[in-house]
Amino acid sequence: MSNAIAIAARDLCKVYRRGTEEVVAVNKVSLEIKEGEYVAFIGPSGSGKTTLINILGCLDNPTSGSLDIAGRTIFGQQKAVSERELTKVRRELFGYIFQKFYLIPTLNVLENVLLPCTFYQKDNADERAVALLQSLGLDKRMKHLPGQLSGGEMQRVAIARSLINRPKILLADEPTGNLDSARSHEISHVLQELNQRDGLTIILVTHNPELAKTAHRIVELRDGRMAV
Ligand code: ADP
């Protein structure tokens, strides 16, 4: 882990309005995540985990507070970057994986992994996709459709897809939520390797204590706040 700061959040708040009612999903969260750090967010359902990591991952905007990614202000007093730049930040800096793998059922494994390159072609994408799938033990599954795979394999395809554009930060929202314990263990091992071997910064949300334990730091949320 380096001393450089990947993500700096200050006083982040997210307020949802439901009719006249206000829900404070994230309440004054300040934290720094270093480059190469692996941070797990835990906490009961409704405590704000998904809302918070979506903001940290630039998928959602805060109601107030500031966010810097790799030293650049993304949200601040005045919104600092345009929608176009935000798209660029998401595409170039982040990889995303979710509980529901979000694979396209009519595309084969290789095509799913190459999907992010449709709009953002990087050199040697095909070879890279094959190499990623091989490194994730999916070399014999490249031409399979998602429906022909196990849950663990589908999540590994989603991981390969998230890595195709060489992200610096991987955001993982309940990546083992749909998997049995053996498959969860596999995914946990993959994430650890990506962090330790490749230096990827990882931000994870999980209910799985075994998975959370593999992170450098566990942050607990309660009612939108960081528990101390
Ligand atoms: P967690 O991931 O810990 O389960 P969430 O971030 O999903 O928590 O939700 C935090 C709170 O914000 C909950 O009370 C939830 O109902 C509320 N919330 C989340 N998304 C929305 C939304 N789009 N509109 C209104 N309320 C929301």
Side-chain angles (χ1 to χ4, degrees):
M1 196 193 320
S2 95
N3 269 331
I5 303 297
I7 297 182
R10 184 149 302 279
D11 288 332
L12 286 179
C13 289
K14 180 76 179 183
V15 182
Y16 291 111
R17 282 173 228 288
R18 285 195 207 120
T20 53
E21 191 198 351
E22 279 194 347
V23 178
V24 184
V26 173
N27 197 348
K28 292 203 172 153
V29 168
S30 299
L31 86 164
E32 286 184 345
I33 298 174
K34 291 187 174 146
E35 279 179 13
E37 192 173 4
Y38 183 173
V39 181
F41 289 92
I42 60 164
S45 212
S47 58
K49 305 180 296 297
T50 292
T51 306
L52 177 61
I53 75 155
N54 282 347
I55 296 170
L56 298 179
C58 303
L59 294 174
D60 197 0
N61 58 318
T63 309
S64 60
S66 71
L67 179 70
D68 291 3
I69 308 284
R72 179 161 179 216
T73 301
I74 306 295
F75 302 109
Q77 291 293 70
Q78 284 104 28
K79 193 178 171 201
V81 297
S82 65
E83 210 39 60
R84 197 189 167 90
E85 285 170 298
L86 206 50
T87 304
K88 203 162 172 275
V89 168
R90 287 185 200 118
R91 199 169 54 195
E92 293 181 358
L93 289 181
F94 285 95
Y96 303 97
I97 57 170
F98 303 95
Q99 176 172 355
K100 299 178 189 171
F101 320 112
Y102 296 122
L103 300 177
I104 308 290
T106 51
L107 298 182
N108 72 30
V109 162
L110 189 58
E111 290 164 341
N112 265 284
V113 173
L114 284 166
L115 205 57
C117 304
T118 313
F119 308 103
Y120 181 55
Q121 183 66 47
K122 278 208 166 175
D123 294 343
N124 308 322
D126 289 354
E127 288 136 66
R128 228 181 108 59
V130 168
L132 277 169
L133 286 166
Q134 281 169 344
S135 74
L136 289 160
L138 292 163
D139 26 338
K140 299 212 166 57
R141 297 281 183 270
M142 302 216 194
K143 301 287 174 190
H144 286 57
L145 293 173
Q148 300 171 303
L149 305 178
S150 71
E153 287 172 329
M154 283 197 262
Q155 191 59 294
R156 281 185 277 144
V157 175
I159 292 174
R161 182 186 54 193
S162 79
L163 299 175
I164 191 75
N165 283 332
R166 293 195 171 87
K168 299 263 184 286
I169 306 168
L170 180 66
L171 200 135
D173 192 352
E174 293 270 15
T176 63
N178 277 341
L179 304 179
D180 62 29
S181 65
R183 302 308 138 226
S184 298
H185 192 73
E186 265 174 36
I187 298 301
S188 172
H189 182 71
V190 169
L191 294 180
Q192 255 183 303
E193 242 189 24
L194 290 172
N195 173 254
Q196 286 170 9
R197 185 193 58 201
D198 303 341
L200 204 65
T201 306
I202 300 184
I203 306 172
L204 168 81
V205 160
T206 189
H207 281 114
N208 179 339
E210 293 303 313
L211 180 57
K213 264 197 276 179
T214 62
H216 294 125
R217 178 159 51 126
I218 296 179
V219 175
E220 189 177 351
L221 290 182
R222 299 240 160 221
D223 299 325
R225 290 179 186 273
M226 277 168 61
V228 278

